[in-house]
Amino acid sequence: MENKKYYQPEFETMPVEEIKKLQSEKLVKQVKHVWDNVPYYRAKMEAKGVTPDDIKGIEDLHKLPFIEKSDLRDNYPYGMLAKPLEDCVRIQSTSGTTGKRVIAYYTQQDIDLWEDCCARALVAAGADKSDVVQVSYGYGLFTGGPGLNGGSHKVGCLTLPMSSGNTERQIQFMTDLKATVLCCTPSYAAYLGESLKEMGYTPDTIPLKAGIFGAEPWTAEIRKNIEETLGIKAYDIYGLTEISGPGVSFECEEQGGMHINEDHFLAEIINPETGEVLPEGTKGELVFTCLDKEAFPMLRYRTRDICVLSREKCSCGRTFIRMAKPMGRSDDMMIIRGVNVFPSQIEAVLLKEGFSPNYQIELSRVNNSDTFDVYVELPPEQFDDSVKTIAAKEKSLRDALRSMLGIGPAVHLVAPKTIARSEGKAVRIVDKRKLHD
């Protein structure tokens, strides 16, 4: 077994000063590439009074205008393209969870660099060419499947391109072909764990040793639940279609935040209200600049993810800056009766109180007042409890949620398997309030 610690050590362990020098060189070239080839972004720069000559290195990044999702929607489908279409070999697209889809374009080099980033994540999770990697993210337009599939090939692993769904077949291939690394959404990993347990498997009889889970928010409690059920170490991975896909950042064995692939992506934290760049270690909105993407280069793309960056030394030896797990999104925060609520807060309470991670939040409006309902599945062994016991559990969960959120939802404990399982991104919030007519 090779058991390499890094996929590309020359970059992953590069001294920080050298990383910054490389970023500056790449940024200067990228700004010129975008200025020459994306009229829309050039007009934004001109409106701000900036030309490529003003950008001498990463210290000048703050002078550039931001790109937001609305810019991408307004320029659908080709307005942000920086290469001729005949140089592009693929598109991927967002899930459209927050509105109209965004289409991202890739040259062959864009795909190679993206797959390298996913390969780094796999090696950081302990994978080498002796491993069998089961990719149960969706394929097609969604970036999860294609990204990890390509990364797995680069590491030299036997790759099972399962896509999501068909749980029976997933389990058959996992057990027959002795899959050692699972890549999928955390909610699907939890569901696979639940299904394996029902079929009589124990963590010792499941061949998996590690999992790489991303594409939706998940808490430390969900990680613990997945690790215990599947008998694995669960690693986080982060990415967005607009920036390339999964592999923008990834966890190492220390699991103290995700290392950003800084030779390809330059990260900043800004104040989401003012756009001001905040010092390292401050909580704010994450912004990315693609340093060498050819077809669809984003300069200062606002992710809406709220997190913190840290340059603290990591025991794994990687020198790349780390980002904390996003603490919610500035655009998925719910405002309920004037209170800011993130789904991740609700999830943390459910798991702490011993409830299932299968839940749904329903918001509505009655007589100009918000209604706030949380539906949570009961574990099978508790479903037979008396009505009185269930009512007591609902009350205790409502109290726990009130103490975390500052407002108390109506809690409904429902039968096992009544909340639809997700094979892509879990639909956690159903907002019927019609706030944007």
Side-chain angles (χ1 to χ4, degrees):
M1 211 184 241
E2 309 159 72
N3 212 355
K4 282 186 354 197
K5 197 169 176 190
Y6 314 107
Y7 176 68
Q8 292 171 315
E10 66 280 19
F11 295 111
E12 295 175 64
T13 61
M14 189 183 260
V16 172
E17 283 319 304
E18 280 185 44
I19 291 174
K20 291 185 171 178
K21 188 166 166 271
L22 178 67
Q23 288 180 325
S24 285
E25 287 166 13
K26 287 187 173 188
L27 179 67
V28 169
K29 280 189 196 154
Q30 187 69 302
V31 170
K32 185 153 182 6
H33 171 55
V34 171
W35 172 273
D36 290 344
N37 295 291
V38 185
Y40 178 81
Y41 195 74
R42 181 167 65 240
K44 285 191 85 139
M45 283 176 70
E46 285 169 341
K48 223 179 162 202
V50 187
T51 72
D53 296 338
D54 298 315
I55 309 300
K56 306 275 193 283
I58 55 175
E59 65 283 358
D60 296 319
L61 183 65
H62 69 277
K63 298 175 182 174
L64 292 168
F66 293 113
I67 297 180
E68 304 198 27
K69 201 162 224 172
S70 56
D71 294 309
L72 307 187
R73 291 192 187 124
D74 294 347
N75 284 280
Y76 174 94
Y78 300 123
M80 301 300 283
L81 196 54
K83 281 292 224 186
L85 262 186
E86 55 264 34
D87 292 349
C88 300
V89 297
R90 193 194 299 170
I91 66 149
Q92 302 286 165
S93 173
T94 57
S95 58
T97 41
T98 56
K100 190 174 172 187
R101 287 176 177 272
V102 167
I103 291 181
Y105 298 84
Y106 300 75
T107 62
Q108 188 55 53
Q109 182 187 303
D110 291 338
I111 288 175
D112 286 339
L113 295 181
W114 173 28
E115 290 178 347
D116 283 343
C117 290
C118 290
R120 290 176 186 179
L122 281 156
V123 171
D128 63 30
K129 65 182 186 189
S130 65
D131 280 292
V132 177
V133 175
Q134 181 155 341
V135 184
S136 304
Y137 282 111
Y139 278 67
L141 292 170
F142 178 55
T143 52
L148 270 307
N149 191 90
S152 176
H153 279 220
K154 288 227 166 167
V155 178
C157 308
L158 177 62
T159 310
L160 312 184
M162 302 297 297
S163 196
S164 55
N166 200 332
T167 302
E168 207 174 294
R169 186 175 62 194
Q170 299 274 2
I171 289 171
Q172 185 191 342
F173 276 61
M174 180 189 292
T175 50
D176 290 355
L177 298 176
K178 308 276 182 286
T180 50
V181 181
L182 173 66
C183 305
C184 63
T185 60
S187 54
Y188 195 52
Y191 180 48
L192 281 170
E194 203 180 291
S195 305
L196 280 155
K197 193 174 171 185
E198 282 171 10
M199 291 168 74
Y201 287 93
T202 63
D204 305 342
T205 58
I206 297 166
L208 297 172
K209 65 175 187 187
I212 296 182
F213 308 122
E216 62 189 21
W218 54 307
T219 55
E221 290 83 1
I222 283 203
R223 188 202 298 266
K224 192 165 169 283
N225 170 286
I226 292 171
E227 289 188 334
E228 285 170 359
T229 320
L230 293 174
I232 61 171
K233 187 158 177 167
Y235 293 82
D236 208 345
I237 190 167
Y238 173 89
L240 336 78
T241 307
E242 297 88 336
I243 304 300
S244 68
V248 172
S249 67
F250 60 90
E251 268 185 334
C252 63
E253 70 267 19
E254 192 178 283
Q255 297 186 319
M258 290 173 275
H259 290 281
I260 293 171
N261 283 307
E262 285 192 279
D263 50 335
H264 301 308
F265 311 108
L266 180 50
E268 308 167 87
I269 293 286
I270 63 163
N271 176 325
E273 305 297 323
T274 64
E276 172 207 358
V277 180
L278 300 174
E280 184 204 309
T282 316
K283 186 164 103 172
E285 181 185 337
L286 184 59
V287 171
F288 277 116
T289 293
C290 302
L291 292 170
D292 37 25
K293 266 188 82 179
E294 296 181 324
F296 198 65
M298 296 285 107
L299 300 184
R300 301 197 84 201
Y301 180 72
R302 294 185 60 163
T303 66
R304 301 288 173 196
D305 284 324
I306 304 293
C307 78
V308 176
L309 297 179
S310 165
R311 271 248 181 248
E312 263 180 51
K313 208 169 171 198
C314 185
S315 64
C316 79
R318 287 177 184 79
T319 47
F320 289 158
I321 199 164
R322 280 178 286 174
M323 58 178 273
K325 183 186 270 297
M327 298 147 191
R329 291 171 60 82
S330 59
D331 62 359
D332 93 354
M333 179 181 79
M334 300 170 283
I335 301 178
I336 306 167
R337 298 177 214 145
V339 177
N340 295 352
V341 175
F342 287 100
S344 53
Q345 295 172 299
I346 293 173
E347 205 159 284
V349 172
L350 294 181
L351 288 150
K352 184 166 177 264
E353 298 292 319
F355 287 97
S356 145
N358 295 307
Y359 70 95
Q360 200 160 57
I361 300 156
E362 197 173 283
L363 304 172
S364 198
R365 186 156 273 186
V366 178
N367 301 329
N368 295 322
S369 174
D370 290 339
T371 64
F372 175 21
D373 293 79
V374 178
Y375 294 84
V376 185
E377 279 186 13
L378 273 171
E381 62 275 13
Q382 290 179 23
F383 186 60
D384 295 332
D385 290 354
S386 69
V387 174
K388 198 172 164 188
T389 314
I390 288 177
K393 283 184 177 159
E394 287 177 339
K395 182 183 181 306
S396 128
L397 181 52
R398 183 171 63 246
D399 293 345
L401 286 165
R402 184 192 298 279
S403 104
M404 160 69 95
L405 307 171
I407 56 171
V411 171
H412 311 273
L413 295 177
V414 298
K417 303 266 169 81
T418 47
I419 293 172
R421 293 299 191 276
S422 164
E423 291 165 358
K425 291 193 184 187
V427 179
R428 296 294 188 211
I429 304 165
V430 179
D431 194 339
K432 301 174 173 176
R433 294 180 294 179
K434 296 194 171 56
L435 299 182
H436 310 287
D437 285 334

